[in-house]
Amino acid sequence: MSSADNKIKELENLFLSDYDLLKQNKIDFESVYNKYLGRKKGLLNTLYPLLSDLDSDKKSEFGKRINNFKNKIILSFDKYKPCNDISEKEVDVDLTLPESYTSLGSIHPITIIIDEIKSIFSKIGFSSVYGSEIDSEYYNFEALNIPKHHPARDMQDTFYINDNILLRTHTSGSQIHFMKKNKPPIRILSPGRVYRNEDISVRSYCLFHQIEGLYVDQNVSFSELKGTLEYFAKEFFGSNVKTRFRPSYFPFTEPSAEMDVYWGLNNESDYRITKGTGWLEILGCGMVDPEVFKSVDYNSEKINGFAFGLGIERIAMLKYGIDDIRLLYEGDYKFLRQFKK
Ligand code: DAH
């Protein structure tokens, strides 16, 4: 027997007896592991130099034997490895150092407001659905009782893509999309972007955000509409909030109203955004017009409902004291990072 054979045999026996001790918990895993597989002083490393003394045919045979032995050791150790195994590579890491800094993005103020409103309405059974920002004239106007050449189309300057397709000017079209596919009772919110061809200034932009609300059932009353919106205002602005309803006009609701909340006049941006009144108009609303139900084949003798449309930007600007609406769309990191939830 060559001295290489003797050496490996000796180590194999030694390993068997150490492995026995390990199984009986008489020695700890790390010390046996390092004894055999340690990078610098592991006993397995003492076998490789022996290869150089062997003839070439013996060399490959002995090489295989070392590898088999190594695999056997690794496999036997496997089930004794502690769960928080620290591999050799990681041993040099100083675990007491503070972790490296990771920058977590912030949530856009518009998204913060939309999420909060969705969660307030979800408590009273409203779920969220999403419409499409590119829509047809039919969904954006006709089905909402705004026929061609109706003066109400002038209320909203529209971006047309072609004669029939446009960028939606409001979220109200999602009422139609939803009612065409579903039957009452309905309680939905539909948030999203809308577009209008308006002059860009500190107060208006060519895109902004709305949340549409729709409630359809039997015997729905105007006081339920008021109660629902007052509940929302209290949850969002605080229980002492003052609200008022003013009569208004929308082609898709009859009667129609607008709701204002009293914000107060505490600083310059309050003056600017509320035009010096302290009152902020936050939504349009009303009882769904029977013409709208006709568009979706609902029988308005049997069911009725209410709808509302909330503007998000104005609420965001007041809540956060933002005095230029354009800041909301520029993606400036210095501006956005201030809005940690
Ligand atoms: N779509 C209207 C707008 O953009 C807002 C609105 C008013 C929505 C009354 C409604 C509603 O659902 O009932 O100005």
Side-chain angles (χ1 to χ4, degrees):
M1 227 194 238
S2 69
S3 68
D5 280 329
N6 283 337
K7 182 77 188 167
I8 197 166
K9 191 94 210 129
E10 195 186 305
L11 282 192
E12 279 167 350
N13 288 334
L14 188 61
F15 173 71
L16 286 180
S17 64
D18 277 341
Y19 188 58
D20 258 353
L21 294 175
L22 179 67
K23 281 198 282 195
Q24 293 165 42
N25 240 343
K26 289 191 176 148
I27 42 175
D28 70 294
F29 173 82
E30 215 178 310
S31 64
V32 218
Y33 184 94
N34 286 332
K35 181 170 175 183
Y36 292 91
L37 298 174
R39 198 153 21 142
K40 290 199 183 112
K41 295 197 176 141
L43 287 175
L44 212 76
N45 287 337
T46 61
L47 295 174
Y48 295 103
L50 304 176
L51 282 165
S52 60
D53 297 335
L54 297 174
D55 304 334
S56 56
D57 56 330
K58 287 260 175 189
K59 233 183 216 156
S60 76
E61 195 184 302
F62 191 67
K64 270 186 208 145
R65 195 157 162 206
I66 301 177
N67 279 341
N68 287 341
F69 181 38
K70 186 176 176 184
N71 289 338
K72 186 174 156 201
I73 299 176
I74 291 172
L75 275 178
S76 323
F77 277 166
D78 236 19
K79 58 178 173 233
Y80 291 96
K81 244 191 224 167
C83 300
N84 57 348
D85 171 36
I86 297 168
S87 75
E88 279 186 47
K89 237 199 280 161
E90 287 160 336
V91 165
D92 290 341
V93 174
D94 181 351
L95 296 174
T96 63
L97 286 175
E99 63 179 310
S100 61
Y101 173 74
T102 346
S103 159
L104 290 176
S106 57
I107 299 182
H108 194 283
I110 295 289
T111 311
I112 297 178
I113 305 249
I114 291 180
D115 286 350
E116 197 175 334
I117 296 175
K118 278 185 351 192
S119 112
I120 291 171
F121 277 99
S122 77
K123 289 190 207 144
I124 51 169
F126 282 73
S127 50
S128 298
V129 302
Y130 297 88
S132 139
E133 291 175 25
I134 298 176
D135 213 343
S136 66
E137 265 202 322
Y138 174 78
Y139 283 98
N140 196 75
F141 292 128
E142 265 137 64
L144 288 161
N145 194 29
I146 317 176
K148 262 199 172 63
H149 311 301
H150 190 289
R153 288 210 186 183
D154 294 343
M155 288 160 82
Q156 306 179 351
D157 290 319
T158 311
F159 286 114
Y160 278 87
I161 292 173
N162 62 29
D163 284 350
N164 175 37
I165 305 295
L166 44 77
L167 295 182
R168 67 176 176 187
T169 57
H170 54 180
T171 43
S172 300
S174 46
Q175 293 184 27
I176 307 295
H177 283 285
F178 192 81
M179 285 193 283
K180 282 211 182 239
K181 290 194 208 107
N182 298 276
K183 292 276 158 260
I186 288 171
R187 282 180 212 184
I188 52 154
L189 285 191
S190 185
R193 276 186 182 195
V194 302
Y195 300 82
R196 287 190 203 170
N197 191 0
E198 279 176 12
D199 290 339
I200 292 171
S201 70
V202 287
R203 289 179 52 115
S204 68
Y205 201 64
C206 51
L207 70 87
F208 53 96
H209 296 75
Q210 292 186 331
I211 297 188
E212 193 74 17
L214 178 67
Y215 185 112
V216 183
D217 207 336
Q218 289 171 348
N219 305 317
V220 180
S221 66
F222 193 86
S223 57
E224 279 172 272
L225 164 62
K226 270 187 90 178
T228 304
L229 295 177
E230 272 162 6
Y231 152 81
F232 156 71
K234 284 204 169 79
E235 290 283 307
F236 189 86
F237 296 99
S239 52
N240 294 327
V241 71
K242 269 198 287 180
T243 53
R244 69 179 183 195
F245 282 79
R246 283 177 293 103
S248 185
Y249 168 76
F250 299 101
F252 31 90
T253 43
E254 181 58 39
S256 305
E258 280 170 310
M259 187 171 94
D260 301 339
V261 295
Y262 190 72
W263 183 265
L265 293 167
N266 303 312
N267 57 42
E268 208 197 314
S269 82
D270 292 353
Y271 269 91
R272 201 167 325 119
I273 296 172
T274 67
K275 294 188 186 142
T277 64
W279 286 96
L280 177 72
E281 182 229 308
I282 58 161
L283 59 84
C285 62
M287 302 305 289
V288 178
D289 194 293
E291 284 300 311
V292 173
F293 286 137
K294 226 190 251 173
S295 318
V296 296
D297 291 328
Y298 281 11
N299 182 351
S300 56
E301 307 270 292
K302 294 207 176 121
I303 52 101
N304 68 342
F306 62 75
F308 55 91
L310 265 150
I312 306 301
E313 268 72 358
R314 232 180 290 171
I315 297 177
M317 288 171 81
L318 266 193
K319 181 159 180 178
Y320 297 116
I322 300 167
D323 49 18
D324 186 339
I325 196 172
R326 291 168 291 192
L327 285 165
L328 293 167
Y329 313 106
E330 283 166 353
D332 180 343
Y333 177 61
K334 286 200 239 66
F335 168 74
L336 292 175
R337 71 198 288 193
Q338 303 171 83
F339 301 95
K340 297 279 180 197
K341 219 173 188 178

